[in-house]
């Protein structure tokens, strides 16, 4: 009974680690209600006791594994929030990886125990050796989970690589089936001497799979960083060009200042005050950007709105801004650049793809109510964009270099616990952000 209780305790620890991983990656535990905490705890206790009891009878049961995965998947789907498919992938991947590590530990102990392994660990053993084996594997898993949770991956970032995780999960499920058959054959055909080579092949395939996944992930991350750097360089160049133009206007104004003063003195001598007002207004129109406004009160956000408005109007696009001063702007400067820059660039590009004589327009609305920030961009389009996985698909030819704009927007929104919604209507496309 003591050994059985230890096995149940180890299984409770195993399921608890899974929820630790889920809460640190794809679940939003800060929004859990009482019902969701009950589901979580019930799943940990129920599955832990069931799996622990099963392990006191046999080292690994395929039926118990499938039931355990199915019940846990149902429970994580009952918890409200996004990323349902990603939750299922994470559950299956976690249990498959733990089972494979159990098999590897079994092959190692088989080398030491030889024929005794079948009676001491595999069948109806209830031995302290079996408890030690399971506990050591879960201790290793706990260290890995701790490192993953400590990195604090953004949910949108993880979702971008869910296809990679799905591929790794499928590979590990096939591996699990193969090595389960291998260990059963060893037990009942007396081939324990093959444990060394089988264990090496298991850990080799496992490491190659994980290493390939990590390299792929690293390459994709570098691509994303490159896209961000290109975007920031573009914005710096645009700002530098704008500054050069302003400096050139200032040089022209300084050069003609003496003449302007003479004209103004002439108007004063004639007491032509109306002429003075008109002349000053003409100077303002020629040398100063009188349309520059303060919309949100944030310097970076207002600079971007002005910059994109000027660019849009140069292309014949009507650009309207409705905004209120924001007492506390939520985003840091780099996130502000990426968020507004991508939204407005996409809107401008969509308008520029329209026919030359078409009605091109962009509308930006920024509001702040209580503790909510609401941002809406809407623009005219030639035709409604194609949606894939809830996101509009890029129509640019080079798919490797484009399509990151809205992904970056979603990444930032997840960082600040925001939501995004896309809406197509007659000749218009709308994006709503709520933070």
């Amino acid at each position: 009974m003591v050994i059985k209780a230890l096995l149940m305790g180890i299984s409770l620890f195993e399921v608890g680690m899974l929820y630790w991983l889920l809460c640190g990656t794809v679940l939003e535990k800060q929004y859990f209600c009482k019902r969701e905490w009950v589901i979580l705890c019930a799943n940990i206790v129920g599955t832990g006791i069931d799996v622990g009891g099963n392990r006191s009878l046999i080292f690994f049961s395929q039926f118990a594994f499938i039931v355990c995965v199915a019940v846990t998947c149902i429970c994580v789907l009952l918890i409200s929030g996004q990323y349902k498919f990603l939750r299922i992938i994470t559950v299956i991947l976690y249990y498959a990886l733990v089972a494979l590590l159990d098999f590897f530990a079994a092959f190692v102990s088989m080398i030491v125990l030889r024929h005794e392994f079948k009676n001491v660990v595999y069948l109806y053993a209830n031995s302290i050796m079996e408890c030690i084996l399971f506990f050591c594997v879960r201790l290793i898993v706990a260290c890995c989970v701790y490192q993953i949770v400590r990195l604090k991956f953004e949910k949108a970032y993880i979702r971008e690589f869910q296809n990679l995780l799905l591929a790794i999960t499928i590979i590990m499920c096939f591996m699990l089936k193969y090595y389960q058959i291998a260990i059963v054959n060893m037990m009942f055909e007396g081939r324990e001497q093959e444990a060394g080579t089988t264990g090496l092949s298991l850990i080799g395939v496992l490491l190659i799979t994980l290493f390939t996944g990590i390299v792929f992930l690293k390459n994709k991350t570098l691509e994303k960083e490159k896209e961000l750097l290109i975007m920031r360089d573009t914005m710096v160049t645009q700002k530098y060009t704008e500054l050069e133009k302003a400096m050139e206007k200032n040089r022209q104004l300084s050069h003609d200042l003496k003449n302007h003063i003479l004209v103004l003195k002439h108007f004063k001598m004639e007491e032509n005050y109306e002429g003075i007002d008109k002349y000053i207004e003409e100077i303002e129109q020629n040398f100063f950007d009188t349309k520059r406004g303060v919309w949100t009160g944030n310097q970076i956000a207002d600079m971007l709105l002005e910059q994109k408005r000027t660019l849009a109007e140069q292309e014949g696009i009507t650009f309207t801004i409705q905004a209120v001063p924001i007492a506390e702007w939520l985003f840091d400067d780099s996130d502000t650049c990426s968020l507004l820059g991508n939204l407005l660039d996409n809107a401008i590009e969509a308008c520029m793809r329209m026919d030359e004589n078409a009605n091109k327009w962009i509308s930006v609305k920024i509001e702040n109510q209580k503790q909510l920030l609401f941002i809406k961009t809407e623009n005219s389009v030639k035709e409604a964009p194609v949606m894939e996985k809830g996101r509009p698909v890029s129509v640019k030819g080079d798919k490797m270099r484009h399509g990151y704009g809205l992904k970056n927007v979603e990444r930032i929104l997840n960082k600040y616990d925001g939501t995004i919604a896309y809406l197509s209507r007659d000749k218009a496309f709308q994006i709503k952000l709520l933070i």
Side-chain angles (χ1 to χ4, degrees):
M1 290 300 295
V2 172
I3 298 297
K4 194 169 185 177
L6 282 172
L7 288 171
M8 288 181 182
I10 291 168
S11 299
L12 287 168
F13 177 56
E14 176 185 341
V15 185
M17 279 195 300
L18 169 60
Y19 276 101
W20 182 26
L21 175 65
L22 288 167
C23 288
T25 52
V26 294
L27 291 181
E28 298 164 332
K29 65 178 180 180
Q30 65 270 31
Y31 301 120
F32 280 8
C33 61
K34 185 178 178 181
R35 167 185 162 275
E36 286 156 344
W37 282 113
V38 169
I39 292 172
L40 187 152
C41 293
N43 185 212
I44 291 173
V45 174
T47 306
I49 291 173
D50 181 64
V51 172
N54 187 269
R55 283 173 179 158
S56 66
L57 300 175
I58 190 170
F59 181 79
F60 178 83
S61 165
Q62 181 177 317
F63 176 76
F65 175 83
I66 293 170
V67 170
C68 174
V69 170
V71 170
T72 307
C73 285
I74 291 169
C75 289
V76 298
L77 290 176
L78 289 174
I79 295 173
S80 59
Q82 300 175 314
Y83 314 110
K84 303 287 188 183
F85 184 60
L86 191 55
R87 295 180 195 184
I88 294 172
I89 294 173
T90 306
V91 169
I92 299 172
L93 179 60
Y94 173 83
Y95 280 127
L97 181 59
V98 172
L100 285 170
L101 290 175
D102 283 342
F103 283 170
F104 177 71
F107 291 134
V108 172
S109 59
M110 206 182 296
I111 295 171
V112 178
L113 298 173
R114 292 289 180 177
H115 300 294
E116 293 297 318
F117 176 83
K118 181 177 180 180
N119 298 321
V120 174
V121 176
Y122 194 77
L123 288 175
Y124 306 101
N126 282 339
S127 67
I128 195 69
M129 182 66 184
E130 185 180 14
C131 293
I132 292 171
L133 189 149
F134 283 129
F135 180 74
C136 289
V137 168
R138 276 133 198 86
L139 203 60
I140 295 169
V141 173
C143 294
C144 296
V145 170
Y146 170 74
Q147 291 298 325
I148 293 170
V149 172
R150 191 173 64 87
L151 291 173
K152 295 181 179 178
F153 289 110
E154 293 172 7
K155 296 175 180 61
Y157 179 82
I158 299 171
R159 189 176 65 178
E160 288 183 27
F161 302 106
Q162 70 178 16
N163 291 335
L164 171 65
L165 293 175
L166 177 61
I168 293 174
T169 302
I170 292 169
I171 291 170
M172 288 195 177
C173 286
F174 278 114
M175 288 175 62
L176 189 61
K177 182 63 179 175
Y178 175 82
Y179 286 103
Q180 185 214 357
I181 294 170
I183 199 170
V184 169
N185 290 339
M186 286 181 190
M187 289 299 94
F188 295 98
E189 295 177 10
R191 293 191 281 123
E192 290 86 352
Q193 68 276 8
E194 297 177 9
T197 53
T198 308
L200 281 174
S201 69
L202 188 157
I203 201 67
V205 174
L206 195 61
L207 289 175
I208 290 170
T209 303
L210 293 175
F211 179 75
T212 305
I214 290 168
V215 170
F216 181 82
L217 184 67
K218 187 67 177 175
N219 287 338
K220 285 290 183 182
T221 304
L222 289 173
E223 279 185 21
K224 282 171 64 65
E225 289 174 356
K226 182 181 176 182
E227 291 289 334
L228 283 172
L229 288 173
I230 291 171
M231 182 188 68
R232 287 172 183 170
D233 286 345
T234 303
M235 291 197 65
V236 169
T237 304
Q238 288 175 347
K239 184 61 181 172
Y240 179 73
T241 304
E242 184 182 294
L243 187 61
E244 271 193 330
K245 289 179 180 178
M247 289 175 67
E248 180 62 26
K249 286 184 178 181
N250 286 336
R251 281 193 289 267
Q252 292 176 25
L253 182 60
S254 299
H255 182 266
D256 295 335
L257 188 58
K258 183 178 178 181
N259 295 327
H260 294 312
I261 291 172
L262 288 174
V263 172
L264 290 171
K265 279 184 177 181
H266 176 73
F267 281 130
K268 184 183 177 184
M269 287 174 63
E270 293 183 348
E271 296 183 353
N272 185 355
Y273 298 109
E274 186 180 344
I276 292 174
D277 289 339
K278 286 183 179 179
Y279 194 75
I280 290 174
E281 187 178 337
E282 185 181 337
I283 293 172
E284 284 181 337
Q285 289 175 350
N286 288 333
F287 294 99
F288 299 103
D289 186 1
T290 57
K291 292 185 288 184
R292 182 180 292 276
V294 176
W295 291 287
T296 66
N298 177 268
Q299 185 179 4
I300 299 296
D302 290 346
M303 181 274 290
L304 268 166
L305 288 168
E306 173 60 29
Q307 187 183 74
K308 301 304 179 184
R309 182 180 69 82
T310 303
L311 177 62
E313 289 179 350
Q314 288 172 355
E315 299 294 336
I317 302 167
T318 303
F319 197 108
T320 58
I321 302 170
Q322 247 185 300
V324 296
I326 309 298
E328 187 177 347
W329 188 252
L330 295 176
F331 309 105
D332 60 36
D333 289 349
S334 61
D335 288 336
T336 300
C337 284
S338 182
L339 185 80
L340 290 178
N342 279 308
L343 288 174
L344 299 176
D345 283 344
N346 285 350
I348 292 170
E349 287 170 7
C351 289
M352 290 174 67
R353 285 194 292 270
M354 297 177 69
D355 297 333
E356 188 176 345
N357 298 324
N359 180 25
K360 304 176 185 179
W361 55 270
I362 295 171
S363 172
V364 180
K365 188 175 184 179
I366 302 175
E367 291 182 340
N368 184 215
Q369 295 180 1
K370 294 183 179 179
Q371 294 182 341
L372 297 176
L373 177 63
F374 176 78
I375 301 174
K376 182 178 80 172
T377 62
E378 191 170 11
N379 57 273
S380 55
V381 289
K382 186 176 182 179
E383 56 186 21
V386 177
M387 304 295 286
E388 185 178 298
K389 296 181 181 178
R391 183 193 294 127
V393 179
S394 174
V395 296
K396 298 174 185 175
D398 189 353
K399 299 293 183 183
M400 292 297 292
R401 285 185 53 80
H402 299 291
Y404 284 100
L406 289 177
K407 290 180 182 179
N408 284 332
V409 170
E410 291 177 5
R411 174 183 60 81
I412 293 165
L413 285 174
N414 277 278
K415 179 178 176 181
Y416 293 91
D417 293 323
T419 59
I420 186 168
Y422 305 102
L423 177 65
S424 289
R425 58 184 183 87
D426 186 32
K427 297 294 181 181
F429 181 68
Q430 188 182 98
I431 301 177
K432 290 182 179 179
L433 313 180
L434 185 65
I435 306 98

